[in-house]
Amino acid sequence: MAGRPVSEPAPTRSKSQLAYHWLKERIAGEEFTPGYRLVLGSIAQELDMSVVPVREAIRLLEAEGLVTFERHVGARVSMIDDSQYRHSMETLAVLEGAATALAAPHLGPDDLRRARDLNRRLVESLDDFDPRLFTSLNHRFHAVLFAACPNPRLLALVDAEWVRLGHLRDSTFSFVPGRAHESVREHEAIVDLIAAGAPPAHVETAARAHRSATLAAYLSHEHPDEAPATAGATTAREAT
């Protein structure tokens, strides 16, 4: 009789990866706020490792735009910049649209039911609006739709942009709360497209337009002269 298969041990993270994730979690959680100085020696002592892996981790975060290095000063958590926010939103519109389209054929009735339940909670939250709660539920809603994407590299890029957005803006809906009402209607339309078995290109167009419309609403509020004229022009329903 053959023995039970031995499961593969989970891969262990290198010290630089441990430092990277430790730092990234604190930046995303706003424990390390914009402008916070990252002292290599102190971080290395906290993590019980040498400064070498910490330096490697900071270089990775610098490449992602979460950390900046200033001569004679050292590494700091990047300051909030509207241009960075705009670039991240534009990038996420493309990446999340593609991930949602690839995931759509793999979503079953339970997934769609979970997405609708989350959107229902978003609708209910509109009466006593809390931007941070709305943003959290909004992330969970979208994660249901793109989590089944079969391309792990694309998923990693989407996750990285969500983390970067969390660092750049606590909640876009704090600036444009009215956008939340439009957002939940677009959510329902995207789920309807997926449930109806719409072509992936239509799903991608709807998901991308949804993200672009949020950016356009923010720019119209904060920088009316810079708001893109075409962002959000194609709605989820127009994609059908």
Side-chain angles (χ1 to χ4, degrees), residues 31-222:
E31 182 178 338
F32 293 169
T33 55
Y36 183 91
R37 188 181 175 199
L38 300 171
V39 181
L40 273 65
S42 298
I43 295 169
Q45 185 175 7
E46 175 75 19
L47 297 177
D48 192 24
M49 61 178 65
S50 72
V51 298
V52 174
V54 175
R55 186 179 293 111
E56 291 175 354
I58 286 176
R59 284 173 179 163
L60 290 173
L61 292 167
E62 184 181 10
E64 292 182 6
L66 295 179
V67 169
T68 54
F69 190 86
E70 300 175 38
R71 191 176 181 134
H72 305 309
V73 175
R76 291 183 183 273
V77 176
S78 297
M79 299 299 291
I80 291 174
D81 182 324
D82 269 1
S83 64
Q84 292 182 41
Y85 169 77
R86 179 173 183 167
H87 294 158
S88 277
M89 284 290 281
E90 289 171 343
T91 301
L92 188 59
V94 175
L95 295 175
E96 192 175 85
T100 302
L102 289 173
H106 304 282
L107 296 174
D110 289 344
D111 299 308
L112 298 182
R113 188 178 305 112
R114 189 157 58 251
R116 292 192 193 278
D117 286 345
L118 283 166
N119 199 46
R120 192 174 300 114
R121 290 178 62 185
L122 284 164
V123 172
E124 293 169 353
S125 74
L126 295 175
D127 292 333
D128 186 17
F129 192 65
D130 178 344
R132 296 188 70 176
L133 173 62
F134 190 91
T135 296
S136 176
L137 289 172
N138 182 56
H139 188 182
R140 289 173 60 188
F141 168 84
H142 284 287
V144 169
L145 298 187
F146 64 66
C149 172
N151 186 327
R153 294 185 65 179
L154 181 55
L155 279 178
L157 291 171
V158 172
D159 288 340
E161 287 304 324
W162 268 102
V163 170
R164 186 179 286 108
L165 277 176
H167 166 63
L168 294 172
R169 285 284 175 271
D170 181 39
S171 172
T172 304
F173 298 100
S174 298
F175 298 86
V176 283
R179 167 64 188 151
H181 292 264
E182 299 171 358
S183 183
V184 294
R185 289 193 291 269
E186 291 166 11
H187 285 174
E188 193 66 28
I190 293 170
V191 176
D192 286 344
L193 277 176
I194 296 172
H202 291 184
V203 175
E204 181 172 359
T205 296
R208 184 170 177 174
H210 168 68
R211 180 68 54 197
S212 297
T214 299
L215 172 60
Y218 172 82
L219 292 177
S220 294
H221 183 272
E222 293 295 301

